[in-house]
Amino acid sequence: MKTKILRPSKRNLIKAANALIAGEIIGIPTETVYGLGANAFDTLAIEKIFVCKNRPQDNPLIVHLHKKYPLLDLVENVSDRAKMLLENFTPGPLTLVFKSRGKVSPLVSRGLDTLAIRYPSSKIAQRLLEMCNIPIAAPSANISSRLSTTAARDVKAELEGKIPLIIDGGKCTVGIESTVVDVSGDVPVILRPGIITREMIEKVVGPIEEKVTVGEGRVVSPGVKYNHYLPSVRVFVCGYGDFERAKTVYRILAEKGKNPVIVCMHGETHNFLSLHVKDFGKNPKEVASNLYGVLRSLEKKFGSIVICGLDPTDPEAKSVMNRISKMHRDID
Ligand code: TXA
Ligand code: MG
C-alpha cells in the first residue's frame, strides 16, 4: 500500500470520512499531535491500530468527538466539575476520562471500565468528525515508544505503507499530547500533564490531584509505564541552567565519536558558541510546538542529542519536561 498525503479539501475530507466508516485507519491532524484514527465502534479497525503501531495490548485509546456529539451516549455520568472543564477547555487539548457506557468497541479501553474523550479544536479534525459522525479512536500517529508526529510528512515517514492516507493539516500548533484528566471519581486527577496546566484547571474547579506515574502498585493510566517519545539516537538531559554540564556531556560524546548536538532555548545558544547547537524556541509554548519536529530532524543528522532542561517552576515548561525526561538515558 502506498501512503498518500492529502490536502484538507472538501473532496479529500469526504474520502477520509468514508475510509474511516469503511474500517480503514488513517492519519489525522489535531492541534496537539497527529493521530492514527479509526472508527471506535469497529473492533477490527481498532485492532489494526494496535498492530500498525506495535502498541502494548494494555494501553487504552482516546476517543475523539465532534463538538456536538452527545457525550452521554458514550459515558455514564458527567460530574459538575467535568462540565466546568468541558465548558472552559474544550474543544481543545484536554482529554477527560469518564465511566464508560460500553458502547464503543471493548478494545478501545482495553478492559478498563472508563473511556477517555477528547474534543480536538483543530478545524480540520472537527470537520472530519462532523462528516463521518462517529467517535474516532486515535492514538498519536507514531510507532509505539517513538517520537509523536507534528507534521504530515513525519507521519508518512513513520507509517509509510501501513496506512492509505494522511490528511495534511500543517504543523500542529500545540505540539505535545493533550492533558489527560480522570473525572470518573470525586476529585479530578491529572494522569498526563499537558499545555492545559494543573494551575489552569484548579482555577476553574479548585484543588485536584496529579498521578502522572505508577501509583500504589496499580497503573492509573496504562500508557505511563512504557518507554515513550524516543528519538532513534540517544538523548541526555541536563538540568535547567546547567550549561557547564551540557558542555561536559557534549565533550564526552564528541570524544566517543557520537557526533552530538545541543538543543536549548533561543536565549541560551550563546553559551555554546563553536559547538553544534539548535534553538528549540523562545518560550515553553514554542518549545512544545517545535519539540518533536526538531528532534526528528536532528536524529537524522546527529549521533546523540544533549537537551538543556527548561525552568522547572514554569507550569508549561513542566509539561514539556515530562516528555523530555522520558527520553533521557544516563551517560555511560
Ligand atoms: O493529544 C492527544 O491526546 C493525542 C491526539 C492524537 O489526540 N493522542 C494521544 O494518544 O496522545 P496516545 O494513545 O498516544 O495517548 C493516550 C494516553 C495514554 O497514556 C493512555 O494510557 C491514556 O491516554 N488513556 C486512554 N484511555 C484511558 C483510560 N480509559 N484511562 C486512563 N488513561 C487512559
Ligand atoms: Mg502516544
Side-chain angles (χ1 to χ4, degrees):
M1 172 191 313
K2 206 164 156 36
T3 302
K4 280 193 204 135
I5 295 183
L6 302 180
R7 62 191 181 83
S9 62
K10 187 171 178 196
R11 193 161 149 251
N12 287 338
L13 288 176
I14 291 172
K15 203 183 259 181
N18 284 334
L20 287 166
I21 292 164
E24 305 266 21
I25 60 173
I26 64 169
I28 53 177
T30 85
E31 71 279 16
T32 56
V33 297
Y34 274 71
L36 183 58
N39 178 351
F41 293 127
D42 184 339
T43 292
L44 286 178
I46 301 300
E47 231 162 28
K48 277 191 205 166
I49 286 184
F50 281 79
V51 173
C52 175
K53 279 192 59 133
N54 194 20
R55 186 175 175 95
Q57 287 298 326
D58 64 349
N59 195 4
L61 304 178
I62 296 171
V63 164
H64 298 66
L65 298 181
H66 180 253
K67 58 186 183 220
K68 294 204 177 119
Y69 197 94
L71 178 60
L72 284 167
D73 280 6
L74 301 181
V75 307
E76 282 287 346
N77 178 37
V78 181
S79 67
D80 287 343
R81 277 191 268 201
K83 277 185 199 140
M84 286 155 85
L85 293 178
L86 286 168
E87 267 164 34
N88 279 274
F89 300 117
T90 66
L94 177 71
T95 294
L96 296 177
V97 175
F98 298 92
K99 280 268 175 292
S100 176
R101 270 189 195 276
K103 293 284 158 56
V104 297
S105 163
L107 295 197
V108 171
S109 291
R110 315 310 292 187
L112 299 175
D113 62 357
T114 51
L115 183 64
I117 299 282
R118 175 157 128 68
Y119 296 91
S121 60
S122 148
K123 286 206 173 67
I124 298 168
Q126 281 292 327
R127 281 184 70 197
L128 182 59
L129 287 162
E130 186 173 26
M131 282 179 181
C132 58
N133 195 29
I134 42 175
I136 298 298
S140 49
N142 53 276
I143 301 292
S144 273
S145 91
R146 281 271 297 144
L147 298 170
S148 298
T149 49
T150 49
R153 64 171 182 281
D154 293 341
V155 182
K156 185 169 159 76
E158 190 82 358
L159 301 172
E160 174 71 65
K162 295 183 164 186
I163 57 175
L165 67 95
I166 303 157
I167 293 293
D168 190 350
K171 184 185 170 195
C172 301
T173 51
V174 173
I176 60 169
E177 305 78 0
S178 62
T179 309
V180 179
V181 182
D182 186 342
V183 290
S184 67
D186 288 339
V187 180
V189 184
I190 294 188
L191 304 180
R192 180 174 72 183
I195 221 72
I196 308 266
T197 62
R198 178 176 187 161
E199 289 74 6
M200 290 161 72
I201 293 172
E202 289 191 326
K203 262 195 197 140
V204 173
V205 295
I208 61 167
E209 289 172 22
E210 189 159 354
K211 285 189 196 157
V212 295
T213 48
V214 179
E216 281 125 57
R218 183 176 156 259
V219 175
V220 189
S221 185
V224 298
K225 71 176 185 233
Y226 295 105
N227 268 342
H228 268 107
Y229 322 120
L230 296 182
S232 58
V233 300
R234 289 184 75 171
V235 170
F236 304 87
V237 184
C238 300
Y240 173 56
D242 197 351
F243 306 122
E244 287 313 309
R245 171 81 183 146
K247 279 189 251 184
T248 306
V249 173
Y250 183 99
R251 204 174 317 117
I252 296 171
L253 290 166
E255 276 162 15
K256 287 183 169 186
K258 301 281 190 205
N259 188 22
V261 58
I262 293 188
V263 202
C264 61
M265 299 277 287
H266 181 74
E268 297 172 343
T269 49
H270 66 273
N271 292 291
F272 307 111
L273 296 176
S274 84
L275 307 183
H276 289 297
V277 59
K278 174 80 190 171
D279 171 359
F280 242 155
K282 290 193 195 66
N283 52 54
K285 262 209 170 109
E286 255 186 52
V287 177
S289 105
N290 293 335
L291 180 70
Y292 295 125
V294 165
L295 293 175
R296 277 183 181 272
S297 74
L298 294 180
E299 70 180 6
K300 290 188 197 123
K301 296 184 208 133
F302 293 93
S304 56
I305 300 172
V306 182
I307 301 182
C308 295
L310 309 186
D311 179 358
T313 60
D314 178 300
E316 282 164 352
K318 240 168 76 185
S319 302
V320 178
M321 283 310 292
N322 167 272
R323 309 302 194 274
I324 290 177
S325 59
K326 291 182 182 175
M327 301 171 189
H328 175 79
R329 295 289 168 268
D330 282 328
I331 190 149
D332 49 30

